[in-house]
Amino acid sequence: LEALQARFQAEVARLRLLLLEEGRALPEGSSMGA
């Protein structure tokens, strides 16, 4: 169970990093910006 949780957290961190990179690549005033 611990290994599974660690893998899940690693995946979440990777996805968050991916979203951050994508958000930075997107132009200002996109769907993310409120």
Short mmCIF file of all heavy atoms in Angstrom, two decimals:
data_model
loop_
_atom_site.label_atom_id
_atom_site.label_comp_id
_atom_site.label_asym_id
_atom_site.label_seq_id
_atom_site.Cartn_x
_atom_site.Cartn_y
_atom_site.Cartn_z
N LEU A 1 0.85 -1.20 0.00
CA LEU A 1 0.00 0.00 0.00
C LEU A 1 0.88 1.26 0.00
O LEU A 1 0.57 2.22 -0.69
CB LEU A 1 -0.88 0.01 1.25
CG LEU A 1 -1.94 1.13 1.25
CD1 LEU A 1 -2.99 0.91 0.18
CD2 LEU A 1 -2.61 1.21 2.63
N GLU A 2 1.96 1.23 0.75
CA GLU A 2 2.84 2.39 0.81
C GLU A 2 3.44 2.69 -0.57
O GLU A 2 3.51 3.82 -0.99
CB GLU A 2 3.95 2.14 1.83
CG GLU A 2 4.07 3.27 2.85
CD GLU A 2 5.07 2.95 3.94
OE1 GLU A 2 6.25 3.26 3.77
OE2 GLU A 2 4.66 2.38 4.97
N ALA A 3 3.84 1.61 -1.24
CA ALA A 3 4.44 1.78 -2.57
C ALA A 3 3.42 2.38 -3.53
O ALA A 3 3.74 3.26 -4.33
CB ALA A 3 4.93 0.43 -3.09
N LEU A 4 2.18 1.92 -3.42
CA LEU A 4 1.13 2.42 -4.29
C LEU A 4 0.89 3.91 -4.04
O LEU A 4 0.73 4.70 -4.96
CB LEU A 4 -0.16 1.63 -4.04
CG LEU A 4 -1.25 1.82 -5.10
CD1 LEU A 4 -0.89 1.08 -6.38
CD2 LEU A 4 -2.59 1.32 -4.59
N GLN A 5 0.87 4.28 -2.76
CA GLN A 5 0.65 5.68 -2.40
C GLN A 5 1.79 6.55 -2.92
O GLN A 5 1.57 7.64 -3.44
CB GLN A 5 0.54 5.80 -0.88
CG GLN A 5 -0.10 7.11 -0.46
CD GLN A 5 -0.39 7.13 1.04
OE1 GLN A 5 -0.01 6.22 1.76
NE2 GLN A 5 -1.04 8.16 1.51
N ALA A 6 3.02 6.04 -2.79
CA ALA A 6 4.19 6.79 -3.26
C ALA A 6 4.11 6.98 -4.77
O ALA A 6 4.40 8.05 -5.28
CB ALA A 6 5.46 6.05 -2.90
N ARG A 7 3.69 5.92 -5.48
CA ARG A 7 3.57 6.02 -6.94
C ARG A 7 2.48 7.02 -7.32
O ARG A 7 2.63 7.80 -8.25
CB ARG A 7 3.24 4.64 -7.52
CG ARG A 7 3.82 4.45 -8.93
CD ARG A 7 3.52 3.06 -9.45
NE ARG A 7 2.11 2.95 -9.84
CZ ARG A 7 1.53 1.81 -10.19
NH1 ARG A 7 2.21 0.69 -10.16
NH2 ARG A 7 0.27 1.79 -10.54
N PHE A 8 1.38 7.00 -6.57
CA PHE A 8 0.28 7.93 -6.84
C PHE A 8 0.72 9.38 -6.63
O PHE A 8 0.46 10.24 -7.44
CB PHE A 8 -0.88 7.60 -5.90
CG PHE A 8 -2.03 8.58 -6.01
CD1 PHE A 8 -2.84 8.58 -7.13
CD2 PHE A 8 -2.28 9.49 -4.98
CE1 PHE A 8 -3.89 9.49 -7.24
CE2 PHE A 8 -3.33 10.39 -5.09
CZ PHE A 8 -4.13 10.38 -6.22
N GLN A 9 1.45 9.61 -5.53
CA GLN A 9 1.92 10.97 -5.25
C GLN A 9 2.90 11.43 -6.32
O GLN A 9 2.88 12.58 -6.74
CB GLN A 9 2.58 10.99 -3.87
CG GLN A 9 1.55 11.04 -2.76
CD GLN A 9 2.19 11.05 -1.38
OE1 GLN A 9 3.29 10.55 -1.20
NE2 GLN A 9 1.51 11.60 -0.40
N ALA A 10 3.75 10.52 -6.79
CA ALA A 10 4.72 10.86 -7.83
C ALA A 10 3.98 11.22 -9.12
O ALA A 10 4.36 12.16 -9.82
CB ALA A 10 5.66 9.68 -8.07
N GLU A 11 2.92 10.48 -9.42
CA GLU A 11 2.14 10.74 -10.63
C GLU A 11 1.46 12.10 -10.52
O GLU A 11 1.44 12.87 -11.47
CB GLU A 11 1.11 9.63 -10.80
CG GLU A 11 0.49 9.58 -12.17
CD GLU A 11 1.46 9.12 -13.24
OE1 GLU A 11 2.54 8.61 -12.89
OE2 GLU A 11 1.13 9.28 -14.42
N VAL A 12 0.90 12.40 -9.36
CA VAL A 12 0.23 13.68 -9.14
C VAL A 12 1.22 14.83 -9.32
O VAL A 12 0.93 15.83 -9.98
CB VAL A 12 -0.41 13.73 -7.74
CG1 VAL A 12 -0.86 15.15 -7.40
CG2 VAL A 12 -1.59 12.78 -7.67
N ALA A 13 2.42 14.65 -8.74
CA ALA A 13 3.44 15.69 -8.85
C ALA A 13 3.83 15.88 -10.31
O ALA A 13 4.03 17.01 -10.76
CB ALA A 13 4.66 15.30 -8.02
N ARG A 14 3.93 14.78 -11.06
CA ARG A 14 4.32 14.87 -12.47
C ARG A 14 3.24 15.59 -13.27
O ARG A 14 3.54 16.46 -14.09
CB ARG A 14 4.54 13.45 -13.03
CG ARG A 14 5.15 13.45 -14.41
CD ARG A 14 5.37 12.04 -14.90
NE ARG A 14 4.12 11.30 -15.04
CZ ARG A 14 3.34 11.39 -16.13
NH1 ARG A 14 3.67 12.16 -17.13
NH2 ARG A 14 2.23 10.69 -16.19
N LEU A 15 1.98 15.26 -12.99
CA LEU A 15 0.89 15.91 -13.71
C LEU A 15 0.82 17.39 -13.39
O LEU A 15 0.58 18.23 -14.26
CB LEU A 15 -0.44 15.23 -13.35
CG LEU A 15 -0.64 13.85 -13.98
CD1 LEU A 15 -1.88 13.19 -13.40
CD2 LEU A 15 -0.75 13.95 -15.49
N ARG A 16 1.06 17.72 -12.11
CA ARG A 16 1.02 19.13 -11.71
C ARG A 16 2.13 19.91 -12.43
O ARG A 16 1.92 21.02 -12.90
CB ARG A 16 1.22 19.22 -10.19
CG ARG A 16 0.93 20.61 -9.66
CD ARG A 16 1.02 20.61 -8.15
NE ARG A 16 -0.09 19.86 -7.56
CZ ARG A 16 -0.02 19.29 -6.35
NH1 ARG A 16 1.06 19.37 -5.64
NH2 ARG A 16 -1.06 18.64 -5.88
N LEU A 17 3.30 19.28 -12.54
CA LEU A 17 4.41 19.91 -13.24
C LEU A 17 4.05 20.11 -14.70
O LEU A 17 4.33 21.15 -15.30
CB LEU A 17 5.66 19.02 -13.11
CG LEU A 17 6.97 19.78 -13.21
CD1 LEU A 17 7.30 20.46 -11.89
CD2 LEU A 17 8.10 18.82 -13.58
N LEU A 18 3.39 19.10 -15.28
CA LEU A 18 3.00 19.17 -16.69
C LEU A 18 2.02 20.33 -16.89
O LEU A 18 2.13 21.12 -17.84
CB LEU A 18 2.33 17.86 -17.08
CG LEU A 18 2.44 17.50 -18.57
CD1 LEU A 18 3.73 16.73 -18.82
CD2 LEU A 18 1.25 16.67 -19.01
N LEU A 19 1.06 20.47 -15.97
CA LEU A 19 0.08 21.55 -16.06
C LEU A 19 0.76 22.91 -15.94
O LEU A 19 0.42 23.85 -16.65
CB LEU A 19 -0.98 21.40 -14.97
CG LEU A 19 -2.05 20.35 -15.26
CD1 LEU A 19 -2.94 20.14 -14.05
CD2 LEU A 19 -2.89 20.75 -16.46
N LEU A 20 1.73 22.99 -15.03
CA LEU A 20 2.45 24.25 -14.84
C LEU A 20 3.18 24.63 -16.13
O LEU A 20 3.13 25.77 -16.57
CB LEU A 20 3.45 24.10 -13.69
CG LEU A 20 2.85 24.31 -12.30
CD1 LEU A 20 3.87 23.97 -11.23
CD2 LEU A 20 2.37 25.74 -12.12
N GLU A 21 3.85 23.66 -16.74
CA GLU A 21 4.58 23.92 -17.98
C GLU A 21 3.61 24.36 -19.07
O GLU A 21 3.88 25.29 -19.82
CB GLU A 21 5.32 22.65 -18.42
CG GLU A 21 6.48 22.30 -17.51
CD GLU A 21 7.57 23.37 -17.52
OE1 GLU A 21 7.90 23.87 -18.61
OE2 GLU A 21 8.08 23.69 -16.44
N GLU A 22 2.46 23.67 -19.15
CA GLU A 22 1.47 24.01 -20.17
C GLU A 22 0.92 25.41 -19.94
O GLU A 22 0.75 26.18 -20.86
CB GLU A 22 0.33 22.97 -20.13
CG GLU A 22 0.21 22.21 -21.43
CD GLU A 22 -0.85 21.13 -21.34
OE1 GLU A 22 -2.05 21.49 -21.48
OE2 GLU A 22 -0.51 19.95 -21.17
N GLY A 23 0.63 25.72 -18.68
CA GLY A 23 0.09 27.03 -18.34
C GLY A 23 1.08 28.13 -18.71
O GLY A 23 0.69 29.21 -19.15
N ARG A 24 2.37 27.84 -18.53
CA ARG A 24 3.39 28.84 -18.83
C ARG A 24 3.50 29.03 -20.35
O ARG A 24 3.78 30.11 -20.82
CB ARG A 24 4.73 28.36 -18.26
CG ARG A 24 5.56 29.53 -17.76
CD ARG A 24 6.81 29.02 -17.05
NE ARG A 24 6.49 28.30 -15.82
CZ ARG A 24 7.24 27.30 -15.35
NH1 ARG A 24 8.31 26.91 -15.96
NH2 ARG A 24 6.89 26.73 -14.24
N ALA A 25 3.27 27.93 -21.08
CA ALA A 25 3.40 27.98 -22.53
C ALA A 25 2.20 28.71 -23.15
O ALA A 25 2.31 29.31 -24.21
CB ALA A 25 3.51 26.57 -23.09
N LEU A 26 1.06 28.64 -22.46
CA LEU A 26 -0.15 29.28 -22.98
C LEU A 26 -0.05 30.79 -22.86
O LEU A 26 0.59 31.32 -21.95
CB LEU A 26 -1.38 28.79 -22.21
CG LEU A 26 -1.86 27.40 -22.57
CD1 LEU A 26 -2.97 26.98 -21.62
CD2 LEU A 26 -2.35 27.31 -24.00
N PRO A 27 -0.69 31.50 -23.80
CA PRO A 27 -0.67 32.97 -23.75
C PRO A 27 -1.48 33.50 -22.58
O PRO A 27 -2.36 32.82 -22.07
CB PRO A 27 -1.34 33.38 -25.08
CG PRO A 27 -2.16 32.20 -25.48
CD PRO A 27 -1.42 30.99 -24.93
N GLU A 28 -1.18 34.70 -22.16
CA GLU A 28 -1.89 35.30 -21.03
C GLU A 28 -3.39 35.48 -21.37
O GLU A 28 -3.74 35.75 -22.50
CB GLU A 28 -1.27 36.65 -20.72
CG GLU A 28 -1.40 37.03 -19.24
CD GLU A 28 -0.60 36.09 -18.35
OE1 GLU A 28 0.43 35.59 -18.79
OE2 GLU A 28 -1.04 35.90 -17.20
N GLY A 29 -4.24 35.34 -20.36
CA GLY A 29 -5.67 35.52 -20.60
C GLY A 29 -6.32 34.29 -21.19
O GLY A 29 -7.31 34.38 -21.90
N SER A 30 -5.78 33.11 -20.89
CA SER A 30 -6.40 31.89 -21.40
C SER A 30 -7.49 31.42 -20.46
O SER A 30 -7.85 32.11 -19.51
CB SER A 30 -5.32 30.79 -21.54
OG SER A 30 -4.75 30.51 -20.29
N SER A 31 -8.00 30.20 -20.66
CA SER A 31 -9.08 29.69 -19.82
C SER A 31 -8.65 29.54 -18.37
O SER A 31 -9.46 29.55 -17.47
CB SER A 31 -9.54 28.32 -20.36
OG SER A 31 -8.44 27.43 -20.41
N MET A 32 -7.34 29.41 -18.13
CA MET A 32 -6.85 29.24 -16.77
C MET A 32 -6.94 30.55 -15.98
O MET A 32 -7.33 30.58 -14.85
CB MET A 32 -5.41 28.75 -16.77
CG MET A 32 -5.28 27.31 -17.23
SD MET A 32 -5.82 26.14 -15.97
CE MET A 32 -4.34 26.07 -14.96
N GLY A 33 -6.58 31.65 -16.62
CA GLY A 33 -6.56 32.94 -15.93
C GLY A 33 -7.96 33.42 -15.61
O GLY A 33 -8.85 33.39 -16.45
N ALA A 34 -8.17 33.88 -14.39
CA ALA A 34 -9.49 34.39 -14.00
C ALA A 34 -9.41 35.89 -13.70
O ALA A 34 -8.53 36.29 -12.97
CB ALA A 34 -10.00 33.65 -12.77
#
